[in-house]
């Protein structure tokens, strides 16, 4: 039986190894994407904290419209950290006059209202790395290749554990330790077996969660298994009142700050039409992960608070799906899990190499 598992393990690895190695290597870069972005482009994200109060958000938006009159603002993210710039989501017209599909973020100084930078993630280095990680630089065929390789990786790991499983305590020690003074072929063998068994559970989790982005059937399966709707809970609507002007963004934010204080950030989306509402997405400091935000809604005319949809109110399938990204990127518990994820991904890049060395050694090619 082990011969069968060894054959399956070998040929699945030969087919998908190069793509698994690419996914692990790019994944190790993306683990610390936020930290790298904030370090390399510090002035984009941070401002020197001033003694005076921050400007009203409405004043900052008015300044933005003066500088970029064709910009259409859809939302603003306000961090509680007074040293963070505002992040304004907007669209700009393209060359054909139609809205450019690229997501643009305007970073603005909250003390002066100055637009620091217009930033498009799609044009960034990290977007290119993400494309390599998920889609082989953005092609549908590339997405299928990476998704299929990830699926095969799960079977590779299962067969790998079966092949590793020791029959005796002596074999357990042999399979879980590295003989550092051995020759390079033996080191390759030990690295493959020992490092493999120490990292397999984490790599399995990373690969399993990755399937949600690769295959629609897997994504839909999350909701089917949990018997949950994937449709978001509908927000309330605004009551049109001709005698009232529209509520200001700062009035809504002031209410949100009072009702839901000490959040990590407040992300407010602007009404899209005459009946929609202000939506304030709030990340509590007690949230289980960074996607566990609560949604609060306000009437666009009166500014009155209407409703809250807490993260825990969402269907269980939506809660599980929201947890996939922080788990996949190792950010679920902050820096400790990021360091773990980074190391596991780097180690993961070595398995196709050590595996090939073992295979070639076995057939006496090297």
């Amino acid at each position: 039986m082990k011969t069968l598992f060894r054959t399956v393990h070998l040929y699945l690895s030969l087919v998908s190894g190069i793509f698994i190695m690419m996914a692990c290597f790019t994944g190790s870069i993306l683990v610390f994407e936020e930290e790298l972005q904030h370090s390399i482009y510090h002035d984009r994200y941070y401002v020197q904290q001033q003694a005076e109060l921050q400007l009203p958000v409405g004043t900052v938006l008015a300044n933005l419209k003066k500088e970029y009159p064709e910009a259409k603002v859809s939302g603003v993210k306000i961090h509680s950290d007074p040293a963070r710039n505002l992040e304004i989501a907007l669209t700009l017209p393209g060359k054909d006059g139609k809205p450019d599909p690229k997501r643009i973020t305007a970073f603005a100084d909250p003390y002066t209202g100055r637009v620091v930078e217009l930033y498009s993630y799609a044009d960034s280095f990290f977007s290119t790395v993400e494309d390599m990680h998920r889609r082989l630089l953005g092609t549908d065929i590339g997405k299928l290749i990476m998704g299929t390789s990830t699926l095969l990786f799960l079977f590779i790991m299962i067969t790998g554990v079966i092949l590793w499983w020791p029959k005796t305590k002596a074999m357990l020690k042999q399979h879980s330790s590295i003989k550092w003074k051995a020759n390079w072929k033996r080191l390759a063998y030990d690295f493959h077996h020992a490092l493999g068994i120490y990292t397999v559970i984490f790599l399995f989790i990373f690969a399993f969660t990755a399937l949600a982005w690769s295959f629609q059937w897997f994504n839909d399966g999350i909701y089917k298994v949990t018997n949950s709707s994937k449709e978001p809970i509908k927000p309330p609507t605004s009551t049109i009142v001709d005698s009232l002007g529209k509520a200001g963004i700062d009035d809504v934010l002031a209410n949100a700050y009072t009702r839901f204080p000490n959040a990590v950030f407040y992300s407010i989306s602007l009404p899209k039409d005459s009946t929609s509402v202000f939506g304030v997405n709030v990340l509590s400091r007690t949230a289980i992960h960074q996607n566990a935000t609560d949604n609060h809604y306000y009437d666009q005319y009166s500014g009155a608070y209407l409703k809250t949809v807490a993260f825990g109110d969402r269907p269980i399938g939506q809660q599980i799906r929201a947890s996939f990204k922080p788990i996949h990127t190792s950010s679920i518990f902050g820096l400790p899990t990021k360091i773990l994820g980074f190391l596991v991904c780097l180690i993961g890049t070595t398995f196709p190499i050590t595996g090939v060395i073992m295979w070639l050694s076995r057939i006496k090619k090297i």
Side-chain angles (χ1 to χ4, degrees):
M1 185 60 72
K2 276 203 171 184
T3 301
L4 173 61
F5 287 127
R6 185 174 287 108
T7 301
V8 171
H9 186 83
L10 170 63
Y11 285 104
L12 292 184
S13 299
L14 290 175
V15 168
S16 59
I18 186 65
F19 305 112
I20 293 170
M21 187 164 59
M22 183 183 298
C24 288
F25 178 71
T26 52
S28 67
I29 297 173
L30 293 172
V31 165
F32 285 108
E33 176 184 351
E34 181 179 358
E35 288 80 4
L36 289 170
Q37 289 266 41
H38 287 196
S39 177
I40 298 170
Y41 307 104
H42 184 270
D43 291 344
R44 175 194 295 162
Y45 298 94
Y46 294 92
V47 63
Q48 184 67 40
Q49 185 177 346
Q50 306 295 323
E52 63 268 17
L53 295 176
Q54 295 185 0
L55 293 173
V57 173
T59 302
V60 178
L61 294 183
N63 183 70
L64 172 72
K65 291 293 288 185
K66 287 180 182 179
E67 192 167 350
Y68 301 97
E70 296 180 318
K72 184 176 180 180
V73 175
S74 59
V76 185
K77 188 173 185 179
I78 305 100
H79 295 269
S80 293
D81 183 351
R84 289 293 299 272
N85 282 322
L86 297 179
E87 300 175 21
I88 306 168
L90 55 86
T91 56
L92 292 170
K95 294 180 180 179
D96 57 0
K98 297 180 180 179
D100 192 322
K102 290 183 180 178
R103 293 179 296 171
I104 304 295
T105 302
F107 289 85
D109 186 325
Y111 297 98
T112 66
R114 179 179 66 90
V115 176
V116 176
E117 181 181 346
L118 291 185
Y119 169 70
S120 169
Y121 180 77
D123 296 330
S124 70
F125 164 77
F126 290 100
S127 177
T128 301
V129 174
E130 184 181 352
D131 274 345
M132 292 177 65
H133 183 73
R134 292 178 55 190
R135 296 179 290 269
L136 284 181
L137 296 179
T139 64
D140 290 338
I141 294 177
K143 179 181 177 181
L144 179 61
I145 290 172
M146 295 301 285
T148 302
S149 297
T150 302
L151 186 59
L152 294 180
F153 192 27
L154 295 177
F155 291 99
I156 290 168
M157 285 185 280
I158 292 171
T159 55
V161 171
I162 293 171
L163 293 171
W164 173 89
W165 203 262
K167 294 182 179 179
T168 65
K169 289 184 178 181
M171 291 180 66
L172 174 62
K173 183 178 180 181
Q174 179 184 353
H175 288 187
S176 57
S177 59
I178 298 173
K179 294 183 179 180
W180 294 100
K181 295 182 179 181
N183 62 44
W184 63 276
K185 286 191 285 187
R186 177 59 197 233
L187 279 174
Y189 178 92
D190 286 350
F191 283 159
H192 199 82
H193 283 75
L195 296 182
I197 203 62
Y198 293 141
T199 60
V200 66
I201 185 64
F202 304 108
L203 287 171
F204 193 93
I205 291 170
F206 296 156
F208 183 80
T209 52
L211 296 180
W213 289 275
S214 298
F215 300 109
Q216 189 61 44
W217 57 263
F218 184 91
N219 198 59
D220 292 341
I222 297 171
Y223 302 101
K224 188 172 183 178
V225 169
T226 57
N227 194 28
S228 303
S229 171
K230 63 180 179 180
E231 296 298 322
I233 298 174
K234 289 186 178 180
T237 57
S238 292
T239 302
I240 300 176
V241 181
D242 293 334
S243 60
L244 290 178
K246 292 190 176 182
I249 188 172
D250 289 292
D251 296 325
V252 172
L253 284 171
N255 187 287
Y257 296 155
T258 301
R259 286 179 177 270
F260 318 104
N262 301 319
V264 178
F265 64 74
Y266 303 82
S267 182
I268 183 167
S269 58
L270 306 186
K272 297 179 180 178
D273 53 43
S274 60
T275 61
S276 58
V277 294
F278 283 103
V280 183
N281 209 20
V282 177
L283 179 64
S284 168
R285 295 190 184 278
T286 60
I288 56 176
H289 55 71
Q290 58 267 45
N291 281 353
T293 54
D294 301 325
N295 298 322
H296 312 286
Y297 300 103
Y298 292 81
D299 189 286
Q300 68 167 293
Y301 298 97
S302 66
Y305 166 75
L306 299 175
K307 180 182 179 180
T308 289
V309 177
F311 180 76
D313 295 336
R314 301 182 199 176
I316 187 63
Q318 294 183 26
Q319 295 184 49
I320 292 173
R321 181 63 180 87
S323 70
F324 269 40
K325 185 173 183 180
I327 290 173
H328 184 73
T329 60
S330 306
S331 61
I332 184 75
F333 296 121
L335 184 60
T337 50
K338 283 193 172 190
I339 294 173
L340 176 64
F342 172 74
L343 294 175
V344 167
C345 285
L346 277 186
I347 292 170
T349 64
T350 69
F351 294 135
I353 299 171
T354 54
V356 167
I357 292 173
M358 290 167 58
W359 173 57
L360 293 177
S361 299
R362 187 172 293 115
I363 62 175
K364 302 185 185 302
K365 293 288 184 179
I366 60 173

